[in-house]
Amino acid sequence: MAELGRWTRAMGTGLGTDTSWRAVVPPVHLSTNYVFDSPDSPGRYDYSRAGNPTRDLLAEALAELEGGATAVPVATGLAAVTLLVEAVVPVGGVVVCQHDCYGGTWRLLDHYTRNGRLSARFVDVNDADAFTDALEGASLVLVETPSNPLLRITDIRATAAAAHAVGALVAVDNTFCSPLLQRPLELGADLVLHSTTKFINGHSDVVGGVLIAREEDRGERLAWLANALGLTSSAFDAYLTLRGLRTLDARIRMHALGTEAVVEAALGHPAVAALHWPGLPTHPGHDLAARQQSGFGSLVSIDLSGGRPAVDRFLDGLPVFHLAESLGGVESLVCHPATMTHAGMSPEARATAGITDGLVRLSVGLESAEDLAAIIREALDRAEAPGRRLPSASPQ
Ligand code: PLP
């Protein structure tokens, strides 16, 4: 028989392996502790913070999908950033991070900088001169591509080559693509992280993260440190996340249909000052995204020409798209980055990153593509015409 593909192997992780009752779905192991054979002879597991069979299944599936040696599931996406920093940045070291990274990542690196742990340099990684200058003395380059919320694309291969030339490691936050649309380790990155809260779990009911290393030695150190720092994920969260992961491929295909319909509805609408989606041939990163990704993702940001008042009109009575943070779930979401996800950034940092008060970010869910397109068309009509309320835009 031909060798099974990566997705088939990953989605079936652990299925049919239960030896107690031959359950198809492996049970969740909630026990915090495990019996020793004798005082100096533990079994495979001893204490759940250090190791847990359910968490190990999730780790196996995620390492398989990203093509890494080791995956370490942790409590949150930001715990993955914390683990990354603690593992690879020496005290006083330099971290280069793109200026339009996730607001929580910015806040964490800014905090570390203020308390003297490290020095974070936020730069436009697509500005070759600024990036080269920032690299001097760096231990780590952290990129997010596509970026949040403006969906800028960074060339992972070129970034890795430049960073490696000065001895820095490269980590990619692959949350927006999931391993099904982009595999940074194959493009030269050393580490990949995800907020598994998003596409990987996909059902908006678990907060989690993972850090994946290409090399085994580094992966083993990460696993050791995640236990030492107390960052590892709970067994139940790992169980739910693996359950969500098993449908990732089907969800990603369906997200794409809705996203294309929404983009078509917004394209050329007079209320739109700028439409950010890497699938548009006019997007500055389109060609690069077409090369390094195998799909354009389901995040779309719309800069409304009427600024904040237009945002309020867009949101007024908007059905189906819940006004909430996060992304990548089965349900459609809308957020206002300046006051929500990116409120942790200083106003100056937001301005430098290009996050305006008129920007809304959509996470397109799995509802019918036709409904989603109609809803966005009506919301844009409202945003354009103050006081105009279309009859079909009924409140949820
Ligand atoms: N990275 C990205 C790109 C994110 O969007 C987020 C959260 O929104 C995080 C990291 C942090 O993940 P978590 O909220 O799971 O801590």
Side-chain angles (χ1 to χ4, degrees), residues 76-78 102 105 144 148 173 175-176 195 197-198 207-208 327:
T76 67
L78 277 180
Y102 167 61
T105 301
E144 226 177 274
N148 181 10
D173 183 332
T175 298
F176 272 33
S195 166
T197 315
K198 312 295 180 337
V207 176
L327 56 103

Side-chain angles (χ1 to χ4, degrees), residues 97-315:
C97 181
Q98 72 197 62
H99 64 342
D100 56 343
C101 63
Y102 167 61
T105 301
W106 187 92
R107 181 178 55 201
L108 179 61
L109 294 177
D110 183 58
H111 162 75
Y112 273 139
T113 302
R114 283 170 196 273
N115 72 13
R117 163 71 180 80
L118 53 78
S119 171
R121 295 180 188 150
F122 296 101
V123 288
D124 179 352
V125 285
N126 285 311
D127 174 338
D129 291 342
F131 181 53
T132 308
D133 288 350
L135 277 179
E136 198 188 327
S139 312
L140 172 68
V141 175
L142 172 58
V143 293
E144 226 177 274
T145 179
S147 70
N148 181 10
L150 289 167
L151 306 161
R152 294 191 179 110
I153 308 294
T154 299
D155 187 330
I156 297 173
R157 205 184 283 282
T159 304
H164 290 158
V166 299
L169 293 174
V170 175
V172 175
D173 183 332
N174 201 21
T175 298
F176 272 33
C177 275
S178 92
L180 294 191
L181 296 186
Q182 177 169 270
R183 275 208 295 283
L185 299 180
E186 289 173 4
L187 297 169
D190 304 287
L191 296 137
V192 175
L193 71 92
H194 288 270
S195 166
T196 55
T197 315
K198 312 295 180 337
F199 290 98
I200 286 179
N201 176 58
H203 291 73
S204 303
D205 52 9
V206 181
V207 176
V210 68
L211 184 59
I212 301 164
R214 193 179 48 199
E215 283 160 18
E216 198 156 343
D217 290 4
R218 187 167 291 121
E220 276 168 19
R221 280 203 305 282
L222 294 179
W224 180 89
L225 194 59
N227 174 47
L229 292 170
L231 299 175
T232 49
S233 82
S234 81
F236 196 62
D237 284 357
Y239 176 84
L240 285 176
T241 304
L242 182 55
R243 183 182 194 269
L245 178 73
R246 296 194 202 280
T247 58
L248 180 61
D249 188 46
R251 284 186 282 112
I252 292 283
R253 289 167 200 264
M254 185 90 180
H255 280 299
L257 296 179
T259 307
E260 281 161 23
V262 162
V263 167
E264 207 174 299
L267 203 57
H269 193 286
V272 177
L275 183 57
H276 305 278
W277 185 59
L280 286 171
T282 49
H283 186 286
H286 174 75
D287 292 346
L288 178 54
R291 280 201 309 277
Q292 79 180 7
Q293 299 175 200
S294 47
F296 297 109
S298 48
L299 274 295
V300 179
S301 289
I302 305 177
D303 215 334
L304 296 171
S305 40
R308 177 60 197 268
V311 170
D312 293 337
R313 293 194 297 274
F314 181 93
L315 296 175

